[in-house]
């Protein structure tokens, strides 16, 4: 069965420091890959996506993610975290065998930003 | 920028009652979805809808659940007889046709069953 693993439940980063959130997926072929962010009381906002091509993708709010096929990973990075980045981050996959592209989500990583 | 809207933002209901959660997808989108997120847990797929019929549903989406697109703009999720375990945040999402596969999510409806 398809699964998405986000091994870190909580991460605390100092403002201005770099950030990396981990995501691993288990699936027979490379699915479509997404990162969403959920601020308190808000819906899910798409940060970035990977379908094919360049394995380093740029997203909104200064985020980027790198797809590594050999590691089945799609880690999210940001070089300098801002206090407003505090939120919950979800990695999701869209399995290729589902033509209507349901998303399978990881359990999320809550990012806390310290002053 | 167009967005998915959902009403109500919070609904409280008693066990056994019927609830209808409403969503207005982005106007030119043709694929519609419902997901739910039980407090502290991950977001789970419930159902997808295309061309006026269910295209895929999860094990969670049992006979107590139904979806409908009653007109050209609304997309609803009905729970016929709510249970305590239905308490969750319910998200609607939509996407357009083509190869983008990006799903746009609404802000969610928090359902509390007492």
């Amino acid at each position: 069965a398809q699964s998405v693993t986000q091994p870190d439940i909580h991460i605390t980063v100092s403002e201005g420091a770099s950030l990396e959130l981990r995501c691993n997926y288990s699936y027979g072929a490379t699915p479509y890959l997404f990162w969403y962010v959920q601020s308190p009381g808000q819906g899910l906002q798409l940060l970035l996506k990977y379908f094919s091509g360049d394995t380093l993708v740029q997203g909104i709010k200064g985020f980027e993610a790198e797809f590594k096929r050999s590691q089945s990973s799609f880690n999210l990075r940001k070089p300098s975290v801002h206090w407003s980045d505090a939120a919950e981050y979800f990695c999701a996959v869209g399995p290729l065998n589902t033509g209507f592209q349901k998303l399978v989500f990881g359990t999320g990583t809550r990012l806390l930003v310290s002053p | 920028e167009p967005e998915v809207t959902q009403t109500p933002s919070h609904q409280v209901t008693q066990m056994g009652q019927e609830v209808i959660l409403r969503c207005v997808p982005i106007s030119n989108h043709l694929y519609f979805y419902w997901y739910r997120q039980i407090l502290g847990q991950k977001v789970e797929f419930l159902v997808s809808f295309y061309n006026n019929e269910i295209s895929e549903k999860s094990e969670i989406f049992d006979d107590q659940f139904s979806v409908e697109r009653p007109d050209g703009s609304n997309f609803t999720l009905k729970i016929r007889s709510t249970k305590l375990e239905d308490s969750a945040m319910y998200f609607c999402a939509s996407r357009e046709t083509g190869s983008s596969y990006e799903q746009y999510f609404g802000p969610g409806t928090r359902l509390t069953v007492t």
Side-chain angles (χ1 to χ4, degrees):
Chain A
Q2 304 115 13
S3 67
V4 180
T5 302
Q6 294 181 247
D8 304 305
I9 298 174
H10 296 102
I11 281 186
T12 300
V13 175
S14 298
E15 190 169 16
S18 64
L19 168 71
E20 182 168 25
L21 302 182
R22 296 182 289 166
C23 173
N24 293 90
Y25 64 90
S26 173
Y27 186 59
T30 302
Y32 297 140
L33 298 160
F34 305 85
W35 275 99
Y36 284 85
V37 60
Q38 184 181 30
S39 299
Q42 303 295 311
L44 297 161
Q45 182 181 24
L46 180 67
L47 283 176
L48 46 76
K49 61 186 184 290
Y50 174 78
F51 295 153
S52 64
D54 192 347
T55 57
L56 184 64
V57 294
Q58 303 296 320
I60 62 171
K61 304 185 180 186
F63 285 92
E64 66 178 26
E66 185 172 14
F67 167 63
K68 293 185 177 179
R69 184 188 306 275
S70 60
Q71 298 175 20
S72 296
S73 69
F74 189 56
N75 293 348
L76 182 72
R77 301 195 294 246
K78 186 170 185 178
S80 177
V81 168
H82 188 261
W83 65 266
S84 60
D85 293 325
E88 184 126 26
Y89 291 81
F90 292 94
C91 182
V93 303
L96 287 175
N97 67 343
T98 64
F100 300 99
Q101 287 296 304
K102 74 176 184 183
L103 294 176
V104 177
F105 284 84
T107 50
T109 298
R110 181 166 296 279
L111 173 65
L112 304 173
V113 180
S114 61
Chain B
E1 183 178 330
E3 58 184 19
V4 178
T5 60
Q6 291 185 243
T7 54
S9 57
H10 190 191
Q11 172 123 27
V12 181
T13 189
Q14 290 190 326
M15 198 167 49
Q17 295 297 304
E18 174 183 287
V19 295
I20 298 176
L21 310 183
R22 303 182 191 280
C23 169
V24 179
I26 295 173
S27 61
N28 64 332
H29 287 190
L30 296 180
Y31 296 86
F32 313 115
Y33 307 83
W34 284 101
Y35 293 81
R36 80 171 185 190
Q37 184 183 30
I38 295 172
L39 189 63
Q41 298 186 24
K42 64 182 178 180
V43 178
E44 301 173 288
F45 167 78
L46 290 178
V47 66
S48 59
F49 190 87
Y50 171 72
N51 200 25
N52 285 318
E53 61 183 22
I54 291 174
S55 47
E56 187 172 356
K57 60 183 181 180
S58 72
E59 293 175 353
I60 304 167
F61 195 88
D62 61 22
D63 292 343
Q64 294 299 311
F65 292 87
S66 63
V67 289
E68 192 178 33
R69 187 154 164 83
D71 52 42
S73 59
N74 290 282
F75 179 52
T76 62
L77 174 70
K78 181 192 290 186
I79 309 175
R80 265 181 271 282
S81 178
T82 50
K83 303 187 284 284
L84 293 176
E85 53 265 38
D86 294 327
S87 295
M89 180 74 89
Y90 288 80
F91 292 106
C92 174
S94 69
R95 76 171 178 93
E96 59 184 330
T97 57
S99 58
S100 67
Y101 296 110
E102 296 176 26
Q103 293 184 23
Y104 293 84
F105 283 78
T109 292
R110 178 160 297 285
L111 177 65
T112 302
V113 182
T114 61

